[in-house]
Amino acid sequence: MGNLVAIVGRPNVGKSTLFNRLTQSRKAIVSDTAGTTRDRQYGKCSWSGREFSVVDTGGWVVKSDDIFEDAIRKQVVVATEEADLVLFVVDVETGLTDWDEDVALILRRTKLPVILVANKVDNSSEYYQASEFYKLGLGDPQCISAATGGGTGDLLDLILTKLNTDVEEDVEDDIPRFAVVGRPNAGKSSLINALIGEDRNIVTDIAGTTRDSIYTRYDKFGFDFYLVDTAGIRRKNKVTEDLEFYSVMRSIRSIENSDVCILMIDATRGIEAQDMNIFQLIQKNNKSLVVVVNKWDLVEDKTQKVIDTFEAAIRNRMAPFVDFPIIFSSAVTKQRIFKILETAKQVYQNRKVRIGTTKLNEVLLPLIEAFPPPSIKGKYIKIKYVAQIPNTQIPSFVFYANLPQYVKEPYKRFLENKIREHWSLHGCPINVFIRQK
């Protein structure tokens, strides 16, 4: 069960720097192409053999002055509803502001563990300045310098002591876990209700120890799987304004705890930026994917041409990962909802595909011979041998080459496409590694 840590605080106190420090990411890795900008707000941190997710709430602010502080306040509320721990970052250089006091008020009312992080403490005299933050009533300020990394080790130790470790749910391991995700009003609840229907008694609820992350066991019509954290269960706390941040915070947990994500897209609205944000979370977590275009009953023109255009548009936006099933359905009329389950089950099984080494080499080596990696600085790259790595989370293949450092991304994609052409890995992410032979 993943733990979620949210970083909150007013602008320019160093939330992003702290986020980069915790997730060990650098701005350079983040591309500014449309759709990936918000990608940098979510990452994983591992420390002393434990892993948790970090969300930087700063990237979700609406840029306009009058509602600016209001927007951040709402995010603090959303963050406290969804996270397991809040890091409240304040800035020693500017000192205590009214705004910090407002946020502290919200945080004191929650039952969540909160760590007060005093940032920009670069020398010993600034340690004393941090003492004014005791006024916030949130305990000892942890003094750090996110820019230089000073004090972050102690902060991480403290985070681990406050996170719940014993959040194991009694969920059987070999049963697949499906998460239905998507932005608000895409029809997640309708799909879940259509599946579970009135026969709720066949379905068992295991209430999670983390706040109602619920696994619902579904075993009828020959299916057996868990539905993860259904969207309609928690109260929606008047969060109408920043729905996007809300739905991303909400999705993180369900995505992390699932094997297959069923991404719902509203047929009447097409694919939007918010769908892309959720898609990126799915990719980042290496989960299998089934895309469901819901509310198909509301579309007037259902010709094959329309279907093809719609499919092409979705794959186009989600490239380079295009090998996933797309199903047009309607949760209301129950059209093709079992097709969704069948497909999700198939996609889950594709994760477990094992391909014999002999077979891999027989098929792939001649293709590599015909299209070798482009030579760099007059050096020829030879790939001699390929094998699948056993017991990995997702199918992973290693190609042994004489100069692995020269094999670039496009060629790896070529190799991935060839593997997909010859073996059914539909909907399933795969890893391609190039190593020294």
Side-chain angles (χ1 to χ4, degrees):
M1 217 41 200
N3 285 116
L4 187 56
V5 173
I7 304 177
V8 303
R10 53 191 175 71
N12 305 331
V13 291
K15 295 190 294 295
S16 300
T17 318
L18 176 59
F19 173 81
N20 288 343
R21 173 76 52 191
L22 294 178
T23 55
Q24 294 178 334
S25 58
R26 288 284 166 278
K27 278 290 196 290
I29 303 174
V30 177
S31 65
D32 277 329
T33 44
T36 56
T37 40
R38 304 227 161 145
D39 212 17
R40 68 177 68 164
Q41 265 66 56
Y42 161 79
K44 288 205 170 14
C45 169
S46 51
W47 182 253
S48 313
R50 281 174 59 193
E51 196 178 62
F52 56 88
S53 306
V54 190
V55 176
D56 168 17
T57 60
W60 262 278
V61 172
V62 198
K63 295 276 184 291
S64 88
D65 301 330
D66 50 345
I67 54 164
F68 190 61
E69 302 198 331
D70 224 28
I72 308 177
R73 235 174 251 127
K74 287 197 193 84
Q75 282 172 349
V76 173
V77 174
V78 173
T80 55
E81 281 185 12
E82 299 294 326
D84 296 302
L85 170 82
V86 174
L87 298 180
F88 177 26
V89 185
V90 290
D91 174 352
V92 172
E93 284 172 11
T94 38
L96 190 59
T97 65
D98 300 350
W99 197 85
D100 292 328
E101 294 186 3
D102 282 359
V103 173
L105 186 66
I106 300 173
L107 293 176
R108 284 202 304 272
R109 286 181 185 148
T110 67
K111 300 192 171 44
L112 265 192
V114 175
I115 298 177
L116 180 60
V117 180
N119 190 20
K120 307 189 188 175
V121 178
D122 299 313
N123 55 42
S124 51
S125 66
E126 286 170 341
Y127 266 98
Y128 301 114
Q129 288 165 317
S131 59
E132 67 168 325
F133 293 108
Y134 276 106
K135 261 193 205 156
L136 297 174
L138 292 169
D140 298 335
Q142 281 294 306
C143 295
I144 66 157
S145 164
T148 62
T152 45
D154 295 344
L155 173 63
L156 280 160
D157 288 340
L158 184 64
I159 290 174
L160 292 190
T161 58
K162 301 221 183 223
L163 284 179
N164 214 349
T165 40
D166 44 315
V167 234
E168 277 312 305
E169 301 189 8
D170 43 342
V171 173
E172 291 172 46
D173 267 353
D174 48 349
I175 296 178
R177 293 178 293 199
F178 300 161
V180 181
V181 293
R183 52 188 179 67
N185 307 334
K188 300 185 290 292
S189 310
S190 322
L191 173 66
I192 288 155
N193 293 342
L195 291 175
I196 296 172
E198 295 59 46
D199 321 319
R200 286 213 162 223
N201 50 356
I202 308 181
V203 176
T204 52
D205 281 352
I206 304 173
T209 30
T210 59
R211 288 160 311 152
D212 49 36
S213 105
I214 292 182
Y215 284 111
T216 312
R217 176 86 174 258
Y218 182 100
D219 46 358
K220 51 182 177 177
F221 308 119
F223 290 106
D224 189 4
F225 60 87
Y226 289 109
L227 269 174
V228 182
D229 188 12
T230 47
I233 288 176
R234 282 194 218 156
R235 62 183 200 294
K236 289 221 180 4
N237 241 17
K238 302 184 213 55
V239 200
T240 42
E241 289 76 2
D242 209 347
L243 269 177
E244 181 172 359
F245 174 63
Y246 184 67
S247 60
V248 168
M249 284 290 285
R250 163 67 48 86
S251 312
I252 288 173
R253 223 193 224 104
S254 348
I255 291 170
E256 287 182 350
N257 296 327
S258 68
D259 300 307
V260 178
C261 295
I262 298 170
L263 174 61
M264 308 274 291
I265 292 176
D266 182 336
T268 59
R269 300 182 57 169
I271 185 163
E272 299 182 339
Q274 210 169 336
D275 300 315
M276 290 306 296
N277 277 328
I278 294 175
F279 170 66
Q280 266 148 5
L281 286 174
I282 296 171
Q283 270 209 304
K284 223 170 198 178
N285 280 290
N286 280 336
K287 300 301 181 189
S288 301
L289 172 69
V290 176
V291 171
V292 173
V293 180
N294 189 31
K295 309 192 184 174
W296 194 236
D297 53 317
L298 303 178
V299 176
E300 302 287 303
D301 181 4
K302 294 189 179 61
T303 55
Q304 192 56 42
K305 191 175 174 207
V306 172
I307 293 179
D308 294 345
T309 317
F310 215 118
E311 282 203 10
I314 293 175
R315 294 193 200 280
N316 200 10
R317 286 293 299 273
M318 297 188 177
F321 178 45
V322 290
D323 186 16
F324 52 82
I326 299 177
I327 297 167
F328 293 85
S329 84
S330 159
V332 178
T333 64
K334 294 196 168 50
Q335 179 190 17
R336 295 198 197 95
I337 62 170
F338 288 111
K339 176 90 191 301
I340 297 173
L341 297 186
E342 277 161 11
T343 313
K345 188 171 159 185
Q346 185 53 53
V347 163
Y348 173 73
Q349 279 154 359
N350 291 351
R351 287 175 84 90
K352 300 191 164 358
V353 166
R354 292 283 164 266
I355 304 165
T357 309
T358 329
K359 198 89 196 104
L360 270 173
N361 286 285
E362 262 171 30
V363 172
L364 294 173
L365 290 182
L367 292 169
I368 294 169
E369 200 106 319
F371 293 97
S375 59
I376 288 187
K377 300 177 190 151
K379 293 191 167 70
Y380 290 100
I381 303 161
K382 292 191 180 62
I383 293 177
K384 291 277 167 54
Y385 178 74
V386 51
Q388 183 175 2
I389 307 172
N391 309 327
T392 47
Q393 273 278 287
I394 59 173
S396 304
F397 301 89
V398 59
F399 291 81
Y400 292 97
N402 55 347
L403 300 162
Q405 67 277 26
Y406 290 140
V407 179
K408 297 284 184 279
E409 221 28 70
Y411 194 76
K412 283 189 185 170
R413 211 165 291 148
F414 163 78
L415 294 173
E416 177 178 332
N417 290 341
K418 290 298 164 214
I419 295 172
R420 289 185 184 281
E421 271 169 37
H422 290 86
W423 290 279
S424 167
L425 293 160
H426 203 40
C428 176
I430 64 178
N431 283 328
V432 169
F433 301 108
I434 315 283
R435 298 213 179 123
Q436 189 77 42
K437 67 171 198 293

Coordinates of all heavy atoms in Angstrom, one line a residue, residues 221-269:
F221 N -20.0 -14.3 -13.2 CA -19.9 -14.4 -14.7 C -18.5 -14.8 -15.1 O -17.9 -14.4 -16.1 CB -20.2 -13.1 -15.4 CG -21.5 -12.5 -14.9 CD1 -21.5 -11.2 -14.3 CD2 -22.7 -13.2 -15.1 CE1 -22.7 -10.7 -13.9 CE2 -23.9 -12.6 -14.7 CZ -23.9 -11.4 -14.1
G222 N -17.9 -15.7 -14.3 CA -16.5 -16.2 -14.6 C -15.4 -15.2 -14.4 O -14.3 -15.5 -14.8
F223 N -15.6 -14.1 -13.8 CA -14.5 -13.2 -13.5 C -14.2 -13.3 -12.0 O -15.0 -13.6 -11.2 CB -15.0 -11.7 -13.8 CG -15.1 -11.5 -15.2 CD1 -16.4 -11.3 -15.8 CD2 -14.0 -11.3 -16.1 CE1 -16.6 -11.1 -17.1 CE2 -14.2 -11.1 -17.4 CZ -15.5 -11.0 -18.0
D224 N -12.9 -13.0 -11.7 CA -12.5 -12.9 -10.3 C -11.4 -11.8 -10.2 O -10.3 -12.1 -10.7 CB -12.0 -14.2 -9.8 CG -11.8 -14.2 -8.3 OD1 -12.1 -13.2 -7.7 OD2 -11.4 -15.2 -7.8
F225 N -11.7 -10.7 -9.6 CA -10.7 -9.6 -9.5 C -11.1 -8.7 -8.4 O -12.2 -8.8 -7.9 CB -10.5 -8.9 -10.8 CG -11.7 -8.2 -11.3 CD1 -12.0 -6.9 -10.9 CD2 -12.6 -8.8 -12.2 CE1 -13.2 -6.3 -11.4 CE2 -13.7 -8.2 -12.7 CZ -14.0 -6.9 -12.3
Y226 N -10.2 -7.8 -8.1 CA -10.5 -6.7 -7.1 C -10.7 -5.4 -7.9 O -9.9 -5.1 -8.8 CB -9.4 -6.5 -6.1 CG -9.3 -7.6 -5.1 CD1 -8.2 -8.5 -5.2 CD2 -10.2 -7.7 -4.1 CE1 -8.0 -9.5 -4.3 CE2 -10.0 -8.8 -3.2 CZ -9.0 -9.6 -3.2 OH -8.8 -10.6 -2.3
L227 N -11.7 -4.6 -7.5 CA -11.9 -3.3 -8.1 C -11.2 -2.4 -7.0 O -11.5 -2.5 -5.8 CB -13.3 -2.9 -8.2 CG -14.0 -3.2 -9.5 CD1 -15.5 -2.8 -9.4 CD2 -13.4 -2.3 -10.6
V228 N -10.3 -1.5 -7.4 CA -9.6 -0.7 -6.5 C -10.3 0.7 -6.3 O -10.8 1.3 -7.2 CB -8.2 -0.4 -7.0 CG1 -7.4 0.4 -6.0 CG2 -7.5 -1.7 -7.3
D229 N -10.4 1.1 -5.0 CA -10.8 2.4 -4.6 C -11.8 3.1 -5.5 O -11.4 3.9 -6.3 CB -9.6 3.3 -4.4 CG -9.9 4.6 -3.8 OD1 -11.1 4.8 -3.3 OD2 -9.1 5.5 -3.8
T230 N -13.0 2.7 -5.5 CA -14.0 3.3 -6.4 C -14.2 4.8 -6.1 O -14.3 5.2 -5.0 CB -15.3 2.5 -6.3 OG1 -15.6 2.4 -5.0 CG2 -15.1 1.2 -7.0
A231 N -14.4 5.5 -7.2 CA -14.3 7.0 -7.1 C -15.4 7.6 -6.3 O -15.3 8.6 -5.6 CB -14.3 7.6 -8.5
G232 N -16.6 7.0 -6.4 CA -17.8 7.7 -5.8 C -17.9 7.5 -4.3 O -18.8 7.9 -3.7
I233 N -16.9 6.8 -3.7 CA -17.1 6.4 -2.3 C -16.9 7.6 -1.3 O -17.6 7.8 -0.4 CB -16.2 5.3 -1.9 CG1 -16.7 4.0 -2.6 CG2 -16.1 5.0 -0.4 CD1 -15.9 2.8 -2.4
R234 N -15.8 8.4 -1.6 CA -15.5 9.4 -0.6 C -16.4 10.6 -0.8 O -16.8 10.9 -1.9 CB -14.1 9.8 -0.7 CG -13.3 8.8 0.0 CD -11.9 9.3 0.2 NE -11.0 8.2 -0.1 CZ -9.8 8.3 -0.5 NH1 -9.3 9.5 -0.7 NH2 -9.0 7.3 -0.7
R235 N -16.6 11.4 0.3 CA -17.4 12.6 0.2 C -16.6 13.6 -0.7 O -15.4 13.7 -0.5 CB -17.7 13.1 1.5 CG -16.4 13.6 2.3 CD -16.7 14.0 3.7 NE -15.6 14.9 4.2 CZ -14.4 14.4 4.4 NH1 -14.1 13.1 4.2 NH2 -13.5 15.2 4.9
K236 N -17.3 14.3 -1.5 CA -16.6 15.3 -2.3 C -16.8 16.6 -1.6 O -17.9 17.1 -1.5 CB -17.3 15.4 -3.7 CG -17.0 14.2 -4.6 CD -16.8 14.7 -6.0 CE -16.5 13.7 -7.0 NZ -16.5 12.3 -6.7
N237 N -15.7 17.1 -1.1 CA -15.8 18.3 -0.2 C -15.8 19.6 -1.0 O -14.8 20.3 -1.1 CB -14.6 18.3 0.8 CG -15.1 18.2 2.2 OD1 -16.3 17.8 2.4 ND2 -14.3 18.6 3.1
K238 N -17.0 19.9 -1.6 CA -17.1 21.2 -2.2 C -15.9 21.5 -3.1 O -15.6 22.7 -3.2 CB -17.3 22.3 -1.2 CG -18.5 22.1 -0.3 CD -18.7 23.3 0.6 CE -19.2 23.0 2.0 NZ -18.5 22.0 2.7
V239 N -15.3 20.5 -3.6 CA -14.1 20.9 -4.4 C -14.6 20.9 -5.9 O -14.4 20.0 -6.6 CB -13.0 19.8 -4.3 CG1 -11.7 20.3 -4.8 CG2 -12.9 19.3 -2.9
T240 N -15.2 22.0 -6.2 CA -15.6 22.1 -7.6 C -14.6 22.9 -8.4 O -14.5 22.7 -9.6 CB -17.0 22.9 -7.7 OG1 -16.9 24.0 -6.8 CG2 -18.1 22.0 -7.3
E241 N -13.8 23.8 -7.7 CA -13.0 24.7 -8.5 C -11.8 23.9 -9.1 O -11.7 23.9 -10.3 CB -12.4 25.8 -7.5 CG -13.5 26.8 -7.1 CD -14.4 26.2 -6.1 OE1 -14.2 25.1 -5.6 OE2 -15.4 26.9 -5.7
D242 N -11.0 23.4 -8.2 CA -9.8 22.8 -8.8 C -9.9 21.3 -9.0 O -9.2 20.5 -8.4 CB -8.6 23.1 -7.9 CG -7.3 23.2 -8.8 OD1 -7.4 22.8 -9.9 OD2 -6.3 23.6 -8.3
L243 N -10.9 21.0 -9.9 CA -11.2 19.5 -10.0 C -10.0 18.8 -10.5 O -9.9 17.6 -10.2 CB -12.3 19.4 -11.1 CG -13.7 19.4 -10.4 CD1 -14.7 19.4 -11.5 CD2 -13.8 18.2 -9.5
E244 N -9.2 19.4 -11.3 CA -8.1 18.7 -11.9 C -7.1 18.2 -10.9 O -6.7 17.0 -10.8 CB -7.4 19.6 -12.9 CG -6.2 18.9 -13.6 CD -5.7 19.8 -14.7 OE1 -6.2 20.9 -14.9 OE2 -4.7 19.3 -15.3
F245 N -6.7 19.1 -10.0 CA -5.7 18.7 -8.9 C -6.4 17.6 -8.1 O -5.8 16.6 -7.7 CB -5.5 19.9 -8.1 CG -4.6 19.6 -6.9 CD1 -3.4 19.1 -7.0 CD2 -5.1 19.9 -5.6 CE1 -2.6 18.9 -5.9 CE2 -4.4 19.6 -4.5 CZ -3.1 19.1 -4.6
Y246 N -7.7 17.8 -7.8 CA -8.4 16.9 -7.0 C -8.4 15.5 -7.6 O -8.2 14.5 -7.0 CB -9.9 17.4 -6.9 CG -10.7 16.6 -6.0 CD1 -10.5 16.5 -4.7 CD2 -11.8 15.9 -6.5 CE1 -11.3 15.8 -3.8 CE2 -12.6 15.1 -5.7 CZ -12.4 15.1 -4.3 OH -13.2 14.3 -3.5
S247 N -8.7 15.4 -9.0 CA -8.8 14.1 -9.6 C -7.4 13.4 -9.7 O -7.3 12.2 -9.7 CB -9.5 14.2 -10.9 OG -8.8 15.0 -11.8
V248 N -6.4 14.3 -9.8 CA -5.1 13.6 -9.9 C -4.7 13.1 -8.5 O -4.2 12.0 -8.4 CB -4.0 14.7 -10.4 CG1 -2.6 14.1 -10.2 CG2 -4.2 14.9 -11.9
M249 N -4.9 13.9 -7.5 CA -4.6 13.4 -6.1 C -5.4 12.1 -5.8 O -4.9 11.2 -5.2 CB -5.0 14.4 -5.1 CG -4.1 15.6 -4.9 SD -2.5 15.2 -4.2 CE -2.9 15.0 -2.5
R250 N -6.6 12.1 -6.3 CA -7.5 11.0 -6.1 C -7.0 9.7 -6.8 O -7.0 8.6 -6.4 CB -8.9 11.3 -6.5 CG -9.9 10.2 -6.8 CD -10.2 9.5 -5.5 NE -10.6 10.3 -4.4 CZ -11.8 10.8 -4.2 NH1 -12.8 10.5 -5.1 NH2 -12.1 11.5 -3.2
S251 N -6.5 10.0 -8.1 CA -6.1 8.8 -8.9 C -4.8 8.2 -8.5 O -4.6 7.0 -8.7 CB -5.9 9.3 -10.3 OG -7.0 10.0 -10.8
I252 N -3.9 9.0 -7.9 CA -2.6 8.4 -7.6 C -2.7 7.1 -6.8 O -2.1 6.1 -7.2 CB -1.8 9.4 -6.8 CG1 -1.4 10.6 -7.7 CG2 -0.5 8.8 -6.2 CD1 -0.7 11.8 -7.0
R253 N -3.5 7.2 -5.8 CA -3.6 6.0 -4.9 C -4.1 4.8 -5.7 O -3.6 3.7 -5.6 CB -4.4 6.3 -3.7 CG -3.7 5.7 -2.5 CD -4.5 5.7 -1.3 NE -3.7 6.1 -0.3 CZ -3.7 7.3 0.2 NH1 -4.6 8.2 -0.2 NH2 -2.9 7.7 1.1
S254 N -5.2 5.0 -6.4 CA -5.8 3.8 -7.1 C -4.9 3.3 -8.1 O -4.8 2.1 -8.3 CB -7.1 4.2 -7.8 OG -7.6 5.5 -7.4
I255 N -4.2 4.2 -8.8 CA -3.2 3.7 -9.8 C -2.1 2.9 -9.2 O -1.8 1.8 -9.6 CB -2.7 4.9 -10.7 CG1 -3.8 5.5 -11.5 CG2 -1.5 4.4 -11.5 CD1 -3.5 6.8 -12.2
E256 N -1.5 3.4 -8.1 CA -0.4 2.7 -7.5 C -0.8 1.3 -7.0 O 0.0 0.4 -7.0 CB 0.1 3.5 -6.3 CG 0.9 4.7 -6.8 CD 1.5 5.5 -5.7 OE1 1.2 5.2 -4.5 OE2 2.3 6.4 -5.9
N257 N -2.1 1.2 -6.5 CA -2.5 -0.1 -5.9 C -3.1 -1.1 -6.9 O -3.7 -2.0 -6.5 CB -3.5 0.2 -4.8 CG -2.8 1.0 -3.7 OD1 -1.6 0.8 -3.5 ND2 -3.6 1.8 -3.1
S258 N -3.0 -0.8 -8.2 CA -3.7 -1.7 -9.2 C -2.7 -2.3 -10.1 O -1.5 -2.0 -10.1 CB -4.6 -0.8 -10.0 OG -3.9 0.0 -10.8
D259 N -3.1 -3.3 -10.8 CA -2.3 -3.9 -11.9 C -2.7 -3.4 -13.2 O -1.9 -3.1 -14.1 CB -2.5 -5.5 -11.9 CG -2.2 -6.1 -10.6 OD1 -1.1 -5.9 -10.1 OD2 -3.1 -6.8 -10.0
V260 N -4.0 -3.2 -13.4 CA -4.5 -2.7 -14.7 C -5.4 -1.5 -14.5 O -6.2 -1.5 -13.6 CB -5.4 -3.8 -15.4 CG1 -6.0 -3.3 -16.7 CG2 -4.6 -5.1 -15.6
C261 N -5.1 -0.4 -15.2 CA -5.9 0.8 -15.1 C -6.9 0.9 -16.3 O -6.5 0.7 -17.4 CB -5.0 2.0 -15.1 SG -4.0 2.1 -13.7
I262 N -8.2 1.1 -15.9 CA -9.2 1.3 -16.9 C -9.4 2.8 -17.0 O -10.0 3.3 -16.1 CB -10.5 0.5 -16.6 CG1 -10.2 -1.0 -16.5 CG2 -11.6 0.8 -17.5 CD1 -11.3 -1.9 -15.9
L263 N -8.9 3.4 -18.0 CA -9.0 4.9 -18.1 C -10.3 5.3 -18.9 O -10.4 4.9 -20.0 CB -7.8 5.4 -18.8 CG -7.7 6.9 -19.1 CD1 -7.8 7.8 -17.9 CD2 -6.5 7.3 -19.9
M264 N -11.2 5.9 -18.2 CA -12.4 6.3 -18.8 C -12.3 7.7 -19.5 O -11.9 8.6 -18.8 CB -13.5 6.4 -17.7 CG -13.7 5.2 -16.9 SD -14.7 4.0 -17.6 CE -16.3 4.7 -17.5
I265 N -12.8 7.8 -20.7 CA -12.8 9.0 -21.4 C -14.2 9.3 -21.8 O -14.9 8.4 -22.2 CB -11.8 9.0 -22.7 CG1 -10.4 8.8 -22.2 CG2 -12.0 10.2 -23.6 CD1 -9.4 8.7 -23.3
D266 N -14.6 10.6 -21.7 CA -16.0 10.9 -22.1 C -16.1 11.2 -23.6 O -15.5 12.0 -24.1 CB -16.3 12.2 -21.3 CG -17.7 12.7 -21.5 OD1 -18.3 12.4 -22.6 OD2 -18.2 13.5 -20.7
A267 N -16.9 10.3 -24.2 CA -17.0 10.4 -25.7 C -17.6 11.7 -26.2 O -17.2 12.2 -27.3 CB -18.0 9.3 -26.2
T268 N -18.3 12.4 -25.3 CA -18.9 13.7 -25.8 C -17.9 14.8 -25.7 O -18.1 15.9 -26.2 CB -20.1 14.0 -24.9 OG1 -19.7 14.1 -23.5 CG2 -21.2 13.0 -25.0
R269 N -16.8 14.6 -25.0 CA -15.8 15.7 -24.8 C -14.4 15.4 -25.4 O -13.6 16.2 -25.5 CB -15.6 15.9 -23.3 CG -16.9 16.4 -22.7 CD -16.8 16.7 -21.3 NE -15.8 17.8 -21.1 CZ -15.7 18.4 -19.9 NH1 -16.4 18.0 -18.9 NH2 -14.7 19.3 -19.7

